[in-house]
Amino acid sequence: MKIQDINEIDDLLFSYEDIAQKLGIENESAKVLCSRYVKLGYLLRIKRGVYMRRERWQYLSNNELLQIANIIQVPSYISLTTALSYYDFTTQVQQNFVESIAVKRSLIKTVQKVDFRYFKIAQQYYNGFIKQNGIFIAAPEKALADALYLTSVGKYKLDFSALEYGKIDYSRLNQILKACPEGTTKLWSNYARPQAA
């Protein structure tokens, strides 16, 4: 593989199988080439078998960053403060981290100084997300419910003071919270609601 071959790759993410097909070589040879180009700094390894051109990283849009988060751990969806920020439901400014909900495991994966944080929840709460602009992301009230749930069990710290309470659909949120543990609904009713006035 030559530098020009890398520069001709248009896809945001690609596998060594994609490289093998492009160059007409065996998968094992493509795997070795990709490994070599990661060491030389031409490619970034996003996760096992998935790469991107290093030079493209600095030009990533927010949407592309969220797409990468979806890929690093599958299945997962963008949620918590990252999703609340996406919908302008919080004034908290996010820098150098992306938060997601997952069912396999909690994980922090760092790529180019960006932390991709995954919070494991029970399968029964893994819902309420949509595909929008090519990313799997929680609906706004579900992102808030996820944050409330994880905060109530001590695994997250939601910044209540940064919430844009006027944007919340309380009816929709309350419907989602009905499926959550009592501690989650108590947190919302005892702590968050008084600030909504």
Side-chain angles (χ1 to χ4, degrees):
M1 184 192 288
K2 300 176 182 177
I3 304 301
Q4 347 13 332
D5 296 320
I6 295 176
N7 292 335
E8 288 173 9
I9 299 171
D10 291 326
D11 295 332
L12 175 62
L13 301 173
F14 50 89
S15 66
Y16 62 83
E17 290 97 339
D18 296 328
I19 296 300
Q21 187 173 14
K22 179 177 177 58
L23 298 180
I25 60 177
E26 295 296 321
N27 283 347
E28 282 305 310
S29 298
K31 191 187 290 188
V32 171
L33 283 170
C34 287
S35 179
R36 184 179 301 150
Y37 277 117
V38 167
K39 289 175 183 172
L40 289 171
Y42 300 131
L43 296 180
L44 284 176
R45 184 178 179 269
I46 301 303
K47 71 178 216 178
R48 187 174 183 176
V50 179
Y51 306 89
M52 73 175 292
R53 290 171 26 218
R54 180 179 290 270
E55 66 177 29
R56 188 161 180 185
W57 181 268
Q58 62 185 323
Y59 303 108
L60 284 179
S61 67
N62 186 56
N63 234 54
E64 289 173 329
L65 198 62
L66 300 185
Q67 286 176 34
I68 290 171
N70 283 168
I71 294 294
I72 289 175
Q73 187 167 179
V74 178
S76 66
Y77 64 86
I78 306 299
S79 190
L80 308 168
T81 300
T82 300
L84 293 172
S85 178
Y86 180 89
Y87 295 116
D88 292 324
F89 271 53
T90 180
T91 57
Q92 187 175 341
V93 178
Q94 284 214 277
Q95 290 186 332
N96 298 326
F97 68 92
V98 178
E99 297 169 323
S100 299
I101 294 295
V103 287
K104 286 184 180 176
R105 59 182 172 158
S106 294
L107 170 75
I108 298 177
K109 163 88 173 174
T110 304
V111 180
Q112 294 293 97
K113 299 182 180 178
V114 175
D115 286 342
F116 293 90
R117 302 173 185 172
Y118 299 85
F119 296 81
K120 180 182 176 181
I121 61 169
Q123 181 73 51
Q124 68 199 76
Y125 304 126
Y126 189 84
N127 55 47
F129 58 92
I130 56 176
K131 188 169 187 180
Q132 183 170 306
N133 298 324
I135 58 173
F136 292 102
I137 187 168
E141 286 74 20
K142 180 57 165 66
L144 178 54
D146 286 342
L148 288 166
Y149 167 67
L150 288 171
T151 298
S152 72
V153 296
K155 295 182 178 178
Y156 192 73
K157 189 172 181 182
L158 176 63
D159 185 352
F160 289 99
S161 67
L163 284 176
E164 294 282 2
Y165 286 93
K167 294 185 176 183
I168 299 168
D169 183 329
Y170 286 86
S171 175
R172 185 175 298 168
L173 177 62
N174 289 332
Q175 192 64 37
I176 296 168
L177 290 177
K178 284 180 183 178
C180 293
E182 185 180 342
T184 305
T185 54
K186 187 176 180 181
L187 175 66
W188 179 241
S189 60
N190 291 350
Y191 181 65
R193 276 189 179 274
Q195 296 187 34

